[in-house]
Amino acid sequence: MIASLDVIKSLFVICPRFVQKLDEAAVQKVFLKSLDNYIKWCSYLCIQPVWSNFEDLSKEKKLLFVSLYFLIWGEAANVRFLPECLCYIFHHMVREMDGMLRQQIAQPAKSCDSNSENGVSFLDQVITPLYDVVAARELAPKPSAGVVLLSLHCFELSWPWRMTSSFFQRPKPRTKYLLTTAGSQRRGKTSFVEHRTFLHLYHSFHRLWIFLVMMFQGLTVIAFNDGKFNSKTLREILSLGPTFAVMKFIESVLDVIMMYGAYSTSRRLAVTRIFLRFVWFSCASVFLSFLYVYMLFWLVVLSGKFSFAYFLQIKPLVKPTRIIVHMTDNLKYSWHDLVSKNNHNALTVATLWAPVIAIYLLDIHVFYTIISAIWGFLIGAKDRLGEDTLEKRKIDAVIFGPFWNEIIRNLREEDYVTNLEMELLLMPKNSGNLPLVQWPLFLLASKIFLAKDMVEGSDSQAELWERISRDDYMKYAVEEGYQALRFILTEILEGEGRMWVERVYADIEGSIANRSIHVDFQLKKLSLVITRVTGLLGILKAEKPDQENGAIQAVQDLYDVVRHDVLSVNMREHYETWNLLSKARSEGRLFTNLKWPRDTELKTQIKRLYLLLTIKDSAANVPKNIEARRRLQFFTNSLFMDLPAPKPVREMLSFSVFTPYYSEIVLYSMNELQKKNEDGISTLFYLQKIYPDEWKNFLDRIGCDENAPDSELINNPDDKLELRIWASYRGQTLARTGKGRSSFLMLAFTDLLALSGLLVSSLEEIVRGMMYYRKALMLQSYLERVASGDAEAAVSINDTNDAKGFDLSPEARALADLKFTYVLTCQIYGKQKEDRKPEAADIALLMQRNEALRVAFIDEVESLKDGKVHREYYSKLVKADINGKDKEIYSVKLPGNPKLGEGKPENQNHAIIFTRGNAIQTIDMNQDNYFEEALKMRNLLEEFHQDHGIRPPTILGVREHVFTGSVSSLASFMSNQETSFVTLGQRVLANPLKVRMHYGHPDVFDRVFHITRGGISKASRVINIRFNSTLRQGNVTHHEYIQVGKGRDVGLNQIAVFEGKVSGGNGEQVLSRDVYRLGQLFDFFRMMSFYFTTVGYYFCTMLTVLTVYIFLYGKAYLALSGVGEQVENRALITKNNALSAALNTQFLFQIGIFTAVPMVLCFILELGFLRAVVNFITMQLQLGSVFFTFSLGTKSHYFGRTILHGGARSAVGLWLYLGFLLPICSIHLDLSGKRQWRTSGIGQIGFFTEVELGLRDKKVGRLVTLLGSVVPLAIIRCSLAYPINENKGQHQAHIRTLSGRIMETLLSLRFFIFQYGVVYKLHIQGSDTSLTVYGFSWIVLAVLIILFKVFTFSQKVSVNFQLLLRFVQGVSFMLALAGIVIAVALTELSIASAWKPVIKRMGLWKSIRSIARLYDAGMGMLIFIPIAFFSWFPFVSTFQTRLMFNQAFSRGLEISLILAGNNPNTGI
C-alpha cells in the first residue's frame, strides 16, 4: 500500500551505495491514515494511545503498528463490521507486542494462547468469542457490540477476554421473524430503540417541524390581521414563544419515550445529556449554516414556499373562514350532527383547512424539486454536459489518436460498428509528410461535395473561403484533399510528370496569394477534376501492378482536364516549363515513369483520399448503431469537462474492483439459446431480431456468411463459443414472466405490462467491462513508455501513435497488474464446483480468458469430530493456472458461517481482504463498463487529491447510464426516472447540498478510510443506504465525466419489487440511529437537505396520497352533511367569490405536475430542447402518468407499512388496479345537465365527487349516492392492499399482532363516514335526523348476513325441504334488492380482516370472505368491461403495441416477427 501512494516519486530514496530506503514521509502518511480511526477512538474515550509521544515513534515502530492492525483486520471476519472492536483489540495487542520486543524473546501472545493442546490461535481465542456475540445478536435482541465498545465500560471485558462477562453471554433466540414487529419485546438496548412509529420523523428532525409549524402560525396570524402590522398583530405573533416551548417539550418527551426498553443498560450520563444538548444544537446549527453555500439554496426554496403558502393557501381562506364561523343559526345538517353545529361549524372549517395544512407540509418538497432541478441544470450546463461543440481547444492528434483508435476497435469487437464504419472512424497516424492534422473520415465525409457546390455560388475567393471556413471540418477536408493529392502525385510521378504537379500547385498557390483564384482557374469544372482523380485512385488502391497502364491513362486524362478545362492562368511567365510539358505530353512520355505505390503510408493515403472523395453520407449517420453513437458522443463531450490532470500510470493510485456474485447467469449455454417457448421463439431468434445490425456485424467479424444456415455456425467449436459470448453480452433485455415463460403473445392487460422485461445480466458481460480497466492501463503505460523514449520499447519513436500489440508488452502488463485488481466474490463457487454445475465451469472459463481475474469464495469443509459433523469455513482466493485449473492463492479460516446478515454485504466483507490499493470500486451484477470510460479512471482517482471542501473525498460518485430503456414504454419510464436521479439529482446532492450518500454501485471508495471504519457494506438486512462515511466525517462527491452502464428490472412486478425494497429500506431508516444522529448533528439547512433527499422524500410521497384522501373526505363530509350545498348556494346568491373559491380548492393539487420538472430539464440538458419536448409528449401519450401513479402508490404503501409493521409484501396487483382505475374515471356527468372535468390531483380520483353531484337530484340521487359510496370503497380497499383471502396471507402479516389489529381497525373506521351519511341521505324517515335512523342500518346489516347464510345453506342438509328452501331464497332475493343500500356496510370487511381469529371463532369468516370475493368480482367486472370491449377492435391492439414498444420501433426492431412467432431459424 505504501508503494501505491501518490508519494511514489519520493518513496525510494537512492542512497550513495544504491541501497533503497523507505521515505519517512510515506511511512508517516500510511501510519496516520491507517490508524486514524484508532486515534479518534482513543480521543473519544479520553484515553492515551499506546504510544506516549508520537514524535518519538521510529519508522520501524510505525510499520510494525500498521502491520499489526491489518493482520488483525485481515482475520477479523464479521467483526470487521465493528471497527471499534478492532481498535480495542489493537490497543491491547500493541502492548503485548511492545512487551515482547522489550524482552527480545519470541513467545506466543497470552491473548492467543489457549493453554491446551489446541495451541496458539488468534482466531479461536480473540475473534471467535466476538463472532459468537455478533451471531447471537442476529438471532436475539441484545446491545450492539459496537456501541458497547464506545464507552469506557468496554475495558471491563479485560484482556485476554473475560469470558464470564455478561457481554459474552448468549441470549435466547428470537422468533423466526427477522423484522421486529410492534408487539415484540425490546430489551437490552443501550441508548436507542427502534420503536415502530412515525414519531421518529419528529424525533429525528424536530427542528424542521418546529420551523414549519411556527412559520405557518406566523403567516396565519398575519393573514387574519389582513396583513397589517400593529400592536394586535405583534401580540399574537408573540404566541410563537409558547408554541416553540411546547414543541421542544414534546421533543424531550419523545427522547424519553424512544429510550423505553433501554433503561436497563443506559447510563445516567446518557439520560442527562438529552435535556442539555438542545440549546447547543440550536445555536450551533444556525451559526454554522451561514458558513456554507447551501444556505443560499434553501433561502431560495423557503422564500418560494412561504410566498406560495401565504398568498395562495392561507390568505384566500381567511375571509371564507370568518363567514362559515358566523353561520351558526342558518345551516341545516342532513344528518344527526354531534360536533360541528354548536361549535361554529368546526368540522366545516376543518375540511377547508386540512388540505391546506397537508399541502403546506408537502409543497416544500415540490419547491425543493423545482429549485434543485434548475440548480442541477445550471451546474450541468456549466460542466458542458450534452455539448456538441466541434473544437474548444486543440487536442494533439498524435497523442489522442491511439486512444481513439483503440476505442473504435473495441466497438468493432463488441459488434457495434461495421468494418467500413471502423475505417471511417479510425484516426490516421498523423506521422507522415502531410503538413496538417488528419481527422477521422466520418467527420470529413461529404464535405468535399458540399464545398464543390459552394464554388458555383461564390463570386470571389474571400467569400468562398469564408463560407467554407464556417464549417471547421469542411475546411479540414478541403485542405487534406489538396495536400493529399499533391503528396500522392509527387510520389508516383517522376521527371516531367512531377514537374507538372509542382507547376500546377505553384500556380494555385500564387493565385491564392494574389486573390485571383476565380480568374486563373475555372472552378466550376472541379467536378471533372474530382471524377478523374477518383478514377486514378480507384486503380491505385486495387494494388494490382498489372494495371499500371490504366493508371498512366488516368493521369493523362487528369492532365487533359486540368490543362484544357480548368487552367486559365497566364502561361507566359513560365513559358519554357509549359512548353516542355506540352511536348512531353504530345510525345506520350509525360507519365511513362509512373511508380506503382508500394509504401505503406502512400497506400494508406491513397485509400483514405479515395474514401474522402466517394463517401457522400454525412457524419450524422456514422455509426448507425444508437448505442455506439451515444457512447462516442458522451466520451467526446466529457473531454471538454473539468477533468483533473492524470498522473502517469506508475504514479497513479492503485485500485480494486469488487463484484458480488451468487448464482446469476455466467454464460448462456446453447441449450438455453436454442430452447423455444410455446410460441416457437428461441432466445437466439429474439436476440437476432432485437439486435439485427449487431448480429450482422457479429457474423462478419467471425467470417460467417450472413445467408449460411445457423447449423454451420453451431458446428464450429470456436464460433459456437463466440456465439454464446455474443448472446450473453446482450441478454440483459430478455423479456420473461415470473414463471419463466416468454410472454411475446400475451394480450391480457397485466401480462402486456410484464412483457417489458426482466433484467438477466450475465457474468461474462460484467467481467468483460471491468477488465477494460486493465486494458486501458496497459495501453496508457505502453504509450507513456514509448513517448518517453524507453529503450526497451518494441516500436520506434516515430510510431508513437500506433499502439498495436500493446497488450503483449510484458512491462505494460506487469504495471497494469500492479495498479489494478479485480475480485469476483462468487460466494458459492465452491459448492457449484462440488455439484459440477455449469456455472462453475463457466466461471473457470472466465478465469482462463482473463488472466488477471481473481475469484473469491467461501469453502465449506465438513469433518467428523467426536462422532459429530463439524463444519469449518474458509475464505479462498483462486486464479487460473497455465493449465486452466484453479490455483489457490490465499485461504483464510473463518470463525463460522460468514453469512449472518444480508447476503451481499457479507459476501463482500469476506472477500475484501483480497483487494489491494488505495481505492475500491463496487460494481453490481446489473452493470457494465466501457473501454473509453476506463481510460478516464486515472482522472477520477485524482479527485481524491482535489479540493472538495473542508475534508478530502472518501467516496467518489460516478454517473450511470441506464441501458434498459429501449425495450418498452415501461422500460423507458423507469429508465428516465432513474437517469434523472443518477445525473441531475445526485449532482445537486453532492454540490451544493453536501448530502450525497453511498447509494450503491458504482461508487469509488477510499479503501483505507473505509476498511478501518467498518467496511464498504451495510450489514443490515433492510437498510439500503449506507451513512457510515458521512457519520465518520467523510466527504461524498459526484462526477459526471465518467459513466458506467446500468440495467434495471423493467417488468412491472420487478419495478414494484425494486421500489418496494428501496421504500421499505427508507422506512427502516426512519427508525435507525443513523438517521437520528444525522438529523441531530447536521446544521439546520444541511439537515433539511438530508431530510428531503432521503426519508423526507418518501414521507412527502406518502403525504401526497394522504392529502388527496384528506381533500376527498372533506368533500364527502360537505356533501353528506348538507353543509357544502347550502354554503355554495349562499355564495352564489351573495356573489361571494372568495367563499366559492374556498369550496373549489382543487387547483392546489395541480402542483404535483411540477415534480416532472427534473426529468424535463434532464432531457433538455442531455438531448436538447426539441428532443426533450418530443420525449416528454411521447411519454404522456404512452400513459406515463399512469405508471407514475402506480409508482407513487407503491412507494407510499411500502414506506408507511414498513414503519408501522415491519417488512411489507408485494402490493403490485392492487396498486396496478388503482393506478389504471383512477385516470379512467376523471370525466363526470353532472345530474343538472352539465358535463365537466373534475381533477383531484394525483391520480385524478373522481369517484368521490359523485357523492356530491348525485345529491342534487332527489329522484336519481339515491342510486348515484349508493354507487358513489360503494365505488370509493373499491379504491380505498385496493390502496390498502389487504385482500381478504387465506391464500394471500402474506399480505396480512402486519395484523398478526394486537397493535397491528388496533391500527387496522382505526384506519377502517373511516368507512363509517359513508355509511353514516348515506343512510340519512336516503330519507327513510323523511327529515328525521335522529340516531334511530342510523341504528336501522345495522338491523338491515344483520338481515343481510342472515340472507346470505340462507343462500349459502348446505345442500346436503337441505335435501328434505328443498321446496321450502327455494321459496325462502326467492323471497329473500326480493328483499335483498329492496335493501341493497345496506351494501355500504361492506366497509366493515377490513375490520373483519384485522380481527380474523375472532371472526372465525364466531363462525362468520367464510360468509364475510364470500361477500368480499363477490364484491371484488363485481367491481372488477365494472372496471375491466371497457378494457375488454376495446380489446375487440384490432386498431386498439395495434395502437397499444406501438405505444408500448415505441423505442424498439424507433431503432428498427422487427417486433411483428416476434409477436407473430414467425421463427425462420428452423436449423437451430
Side-chain angles (χ1 to χ4, degrees), residues 568-625:
S568 300
V569 68
N570 187 1
M571 298 183 182
R572 294 179 181 177
E573 298 180 2
H574 305 283
Y575 175 78
E576 294 181 358
T577 302
W578 283 111
N579 186 41
L580 179 63
L581 293 175
S582 298
K583 183 178 179 181
R585 173 69 180 92
S586 61
E587 294 177 357
R589 55 182 175 82
L590 180 59
F591 303 113
T592 55
N593 294 328
L594 185 145
K595 296 188 301 183
W596 192 260
R598 303 184 186 278
D599 181 67
T600 302
E601 180 185 353
L602 179 58
K603 290 192 289 185
T604 301
Q605 293 295 342
I606 291 174
K607 186 176 182 180
R608 176 177 170 85
L609 182 58
Y610 179 81
L611 292 175
L612 182 64
L613 297 177
T614 54
I615 296 177
K616 298 183 180 181
D617 293 334
S618 65
N621 298 325
V622 179
K624 294 182 179 180
N625 187 277

Side-chain angles (χ1 to χ4, degrees), residues 513-532:
N514 298 327
R515 297 181 179 274
S516 59
I517 192 72
H518 277 74
V519 177
D520 298 337
F521 293 88
Q522 299 295 324
L523 297 182
K524 295 183 178 180
K525 300 290 186 177
L526 278 180
S527 57
L528 293 176
V529 176
I530 293 175
T531 302
R532 299 300 187 271

Side-chain angles (χ1 to χ4, degrees), residues 783-1074:
L783 292 175
E784 286 173 0
R785 293 179 63 249
V786 171
S788 63
D790 193 333
E792 298 179 3
V795 295
S796 170
I797 302 301
N798 294 329
D799 293 331
T800 56
N801 59 345
D802 187 0
K804 292 183 179 179
F806 71 92
D807 52 346
L808 300 178
S809 169
E811 294 80 7
R813 296 164 72 92
L815 190 56
D817 290 337
L818 178 66
K819 294 298 181 179
F820 168 72
T821 304
Y822 184 32
V823 178
L824 199 61
T825 64
C826 304
Q827 182 175 349
I828 59 173
Y829 175 60
K831 183 68 173 176
Q832 290 173 333
K833 285 201 304 180
E834 182 181 342
D835 297 339
R836 297 186 177 181
K837 291 190 175 181
E839 290 85 355
D842 291 338
I843 293 175
L845 177 63
L846 287 183
M847 288 192 286
Q848 296 171 27
R849 290 171 56 88
N850 302 276
E851 60 178 346
L853 177 62
R854 303 293 182 263
V855 172
F857 65 96
I858 298 172
D859 192 21
E860 183 178 347
V861 180
E862 293 185 353
S863 61
L864 285 177
K865 190 174 183 180
D866 299 331
K868 297 181 180 179
V869 176
H870 179 68
R871 288 186 176 88
E872 292 183 345
Y873 298 86
Y874 295 86
S875 286
K876 293 190 175 182
L877 184 72
V878 297
K879 67 175 182 179
D881 61 14
I882 58 176
N883 299 318
K885 304 295 183 180
D886 289 355
K887 180 180 180 180
E888 186 176 295
I889 305 174
Y890 299 112
S891 179
V892 180
K893 187 178 180 180
L894 303 175
N897 190 345
K899 188 177 179 182
L900 298 179
E902 186 71 23
K904 182 184 294 184
E906 300 288 14
N907 191 6
Q908 291 177 325
N909 176 66
H910 95 88
I912 196 173
I913 58 175
F914 302 130
T915 61
R916 296 184 291 109
N918 302 83
I920 181 169
Q921 183 181 33
T922 52
I923 294 293
D924 211 347
M925 275 296 296
N926 65 336
Q927 293 181 303
D928 193 10
N929 196 23
Y930 315 118
F931 176 77
E932 63 272 16
E933 301 305 315
L935 292 171
K936 293 178 282 188
M937 192 61 179
R938 290 190 303 167
N939 306 80
L940 180 66
L941 292 175
E942 284 303 307
E943 295 287 355
F944 283 118
H945 300 146
Q946 303 298 310
D947 181 13
H948 289 284
I950 298 176
R951 299 183 179 90
T954 53
I955 296 180
L956 305 178
V958 176
R959 172 190 173 109
E960 295 173 296
H961 166 69
V962 182
F963 53 73
T964 51
S966 60
V967 180
S968 67
S969 57
L970 269 183
S972 174
F973 301 154
M974 190 64 181
S975 173
N976 293 334
Q977 186 181 37
E978 187 80 6
T979 301
S980 176
F981 171 71
V982 300
T983 55
L984 186 145
Q986 295 197 24
R987 190 182 309 151
V988 178
L989 295 184
N991 180 31
L993 300 185
K994 292 291 183 181
V995 291
R996 188 191 185 277
M997 304 295 170
H998 168 48
Y999 290 103
H1001 312 282
D1003 290 351
V1004 179
F1005 293 81
D1006 183 330
R1007 180 172 173 270
V1008 177
F1009 178 91
H1010 285 89
I1011 65 177
T1012 57
R1013 290 165 176 82
I1016 62 173
S1017 309
K1018 189 71 173 178
S1020 170
R1021 290 181 182 267
V1022 288
I1023 296 181
N1024 309 113
I1025 299 178
R1026 183 162 173 79
F1027 304 110
N1028 189 54
S1029 184
T1030 304
L1031 280 168
R1032 295 181 180 270
Q1033 300 182 337
N1035 185 11
V1036 185
T1037 61
H1038 183 68
H1039 309 279
E1040 296 196 72
Y1041 54 77
I1042 186 171
Q1043 68 174 358
V1044 298
K1046 180 180 183 179
R1048 277 294 185 205
D1049 292 334
V1050 290
L1052 187 62
N1053 190 61
Q1054 288 74 43
I1055 290 174
V1057 170
F1058 169 74
E1059 293 191 335
K1061 172 186 173 183
V1062 177
S1063 303
N1066 274 270
E1068 293 292 342
Q1069 289 165 26
V1070 171
L1071 318 180
S1072 68
R1073 75 178 72 215
D1074 291 355

Side-chain angles (χ1 to χ4, degrees), residues 534-547:
T534 303
L536 171 62
L537 296 175
I539 296 174
L540 294 176
K541 79 179 185 67
E543 299 186 4
K544 295 180 179 180
D546 56 345
Q547 295 185 4

Side-chain angles (χ1 to χ4, degrees), residues 4-6 8-9 647-653 819:
S4 299
L5 287 176
D6 59 333
I8 192 168
K9 284 186 176 181
K647 290 185 177 181
V649 176
R650 286 185 177 274
E651 301 177 22
M652 66 173 285
L653 296 179
K819 294 298 181 179

Side-chain angles (χ1 to χ4, degrees), residues 356-468:
V356 171
I357 295 174
I359 293 178
Y360 174 81
L361 299 175
L362 165 68
D363 62 0
I364 187 172
H365 178 262
V366 176
F367 281 97
Y368 162 78
T369 301
I370 298 173
I371 301 302
S372 66
I374 297 174
W375 195 294
F377 176 84
L378 296 177
I379 293 176
K382 178 183 176 182
D383 292 340
R384 306 182 183 96
L385 282 176
E387 286 191 359
D388 286 317
T389 306
L390 294 177
E391 183 180 13
K392 285 185 177 291
R393 61 189 182 192
K394 187 67 174 176
I395 301 176
D396 190 347
V398 175
I399 298 176
F400 180 70
F403 297 102
W404 175 264
N405 290 345
E406 194 59 33
I407 292 171
I408 301 305
R409 292 189 186 102
N410 277 277
L411 287 175
R412 181 64 191 94
E413 291 177 4
E414 297 170 10
D415 299 317
Y416 285 120
V417 298
T418 64
N419 291 330
L420 176 60
E421 289 176 334
M422 181 177 68
E423 291 185 10
L424 297 179
L425 290 166
L426 288 175
M427 178 171 281
K429 291 183 179 181
N430 282 297
S431 59
N433 298 318
L434 294 185
L436 49 81
V437 175
Q438 289 183 291
W439 298 96
L441 277 173
F442 82 101
L443 296 174
L444 312 181
S446 75
K447 300 298 183 181
I448 293 292
F449 299 98
L450 295 176
K452 177 180 68 70
D453 295 337
M454 289 182 180
V455 171
E456 300 178 357
S458 300
D459 298 327
S460 66
Q461 175 181 321
E463 178 190 358
L464 175 61
W465 189 245
E466 190 273 333
R467 293 178 62 186
I468 292 176

